[in-house]
Amino acid sequence: MFTDRLLLLAPRINETGLQLLTAAHARGLPARTATGWRAPQDVPPLVHLYGGPLYADAVGRELGVAALEELPGWLAELPRELTRRSVELLPLAEARALRRRAFCKPPSDKLFAARVYQDGSGLPGPDALPDDQPVLVSEVVTFRREYRLFVLDGVVRTGSRYAVDGELDVAPLAEDPLHREVAAFAADLLAAGAAGLPSAVVVDVGLLAGGGWAVVEANPAWASGGYACDPGEVLDVVLRAAGPLTELRAADRPYCRELPVVTG
């Protein structure tokens, strides 16, 4: 039984959050859903978080949490044999000037819709987001199948299929007919693209319509849905991904989200 730590979930709990509560209680780890968007006072000294960026920003600093996320340019810096498409990290001002079709998304926070834009004129203007806001700009490709992988210390701990031909289609990775190919590509990716990733993270990969495997993106484990992943394994990754700052590993320091000081 743990007496000095707590898994705290954001108020807007989802299916993965419910699974994490069950998995935590099964191993004797106290876990509960927050009742509001302020840091609760009745918590033990060591807190882990699961929830979106808004909740991490609202309470993480006050609770002494280190929230790990991939570096903004990780996807853009991967070799083309892993992305199978051109990917650039651009300031929003340059992205707005694009006069070609591209898939555009914020590197981490959902500051605007991640989708295919016919050109940069559809991106948020300077009145909405600053010119230096980073944007990932990718060549448009079509994924036939997509998979979510929860990674801890460079090893895939659990995985799930989540889409087929762009439609939600969830199944445990082990039940997917291409699970061995997914595992092989993931091993190659983690061997070649570990730089830029924290020790606990989510990586999405997929099979392209034209053939070949490619990285879709990386995401913070503490803000990612588990689909049909094993909840106990997801919990292990989440606990590392957003845990006590006092337990932060030196190698993970470059991947700590800059959490704001919340006043009022």
Side-chain angles (χ1 to χ4, degrees):
M1 173 67 69
F2 300 87
T3 59
D4 62 344
R5 67 182 65 232
L6 170 75
L7 173 63
L8 184 65
L9 284 76
R12 295 173 183 170
I13 193 169
N14 57 19
E15 180 67 24
T16 302
L18 292 172
Q19 293 175 349
L20 290 175
L21 284 175
T22 301
H25 290 152
R27 65 175 67 173
L29 172 64
R32 72 175 197 245
T33 303
T35 58
W37 292 83
R38 293 177 180 271
Q41 301 303 306
D42 59 335
V43 295
L46 304 176
V47 177
H48 304 261
L49 291 181
Y50 177 77
L54 289 177
Y55 190 64
D57 286 350
V59 306
R61 190 181 184 95
E62 186 173 346
L63 295 177
V65 172
L68 306 180
E69 57 188 9
E70 73 283 359
L71 296 182
W74 175 74
L75 186 63
E77 293 174 4
L78 287 176
R80 193 180 178 98
E81 57 264 29
L82 294 175
T83 63
R84 301 274 181 160
R85 63 198 186 279
S86 63
V87 184
E88 301 175 276
L89 184 68
L90 301 177
L92 184 52
E94 288 188 32
R96 292 191 195 107
L98 291 174
R99 292 299 174 261
R100 58 180 171 82
R101 192 166 174 261
F103 180 85
C104 300
K105 70 180 292 289
S108 52
D109 294 7
K110 301 182 186 301
L111 299 175
F112 60 87
R115 62 176 177 84
V116 174
Y117 291 81
Q118 295 306 310
D119 58 43
S121 65
L123 292 168
D127 55 331
L129 289 173
D131 288 347
D132 60 354
Q133 170 64 44
V135 179
L136 281 168
V137 178
S138 304
E139 178 184 350
V140 178
V141 295
T142 300
F143 285 96
R144 293 294 308 275
R145 304 172 80 90
E146 295 170 76
Y147 302 83
R148 172 147 296 175
L149 309 173
F150 279 79
V151 178
L152 187 64
D153 293 326
V155 176
V156 176
R157 293 289 296 268
T158 183
S160 170
R161 185 184 72 219
Y162 64 86
V164 175
D165 292 328
E167 300 293 332
L168 186 67
D169 191 335
V170 176
L173 180 58
E175 297 178 10
D176 186 88
L178 302 182
H179 69 274
R180 289 187 177 85
E181 293 182 44
V182 176
F185 178 72
D188 291 343
L189 166 63
L190 294 171
L197 291 178
S199 67
V201 70
V202 161
V203 177
D204 294 344
V205 303
L207 179 66
L208 291 169
W213 291 90
V215 182
V216 178
E217 61 183 2
N219 290 291
W222 46 266
S224 297
Y227 297 111
C229 289
D230 180 274
E233 302 288 357
V234 171
L235 177 61
D236 285 340
V237 181
V238 168
L239 293 178
R240 175 84 64 80
L245 183 61
T246 55
E247 297 179 350
L248 179 67
R249 299 179 176 200
D252 279 329
R253 289 192 178 278
Y255 307 104
C256 285
R257 181 181 180 87
E258 186 175 345
L259 299 173
V261 176
V262 178
T263 59

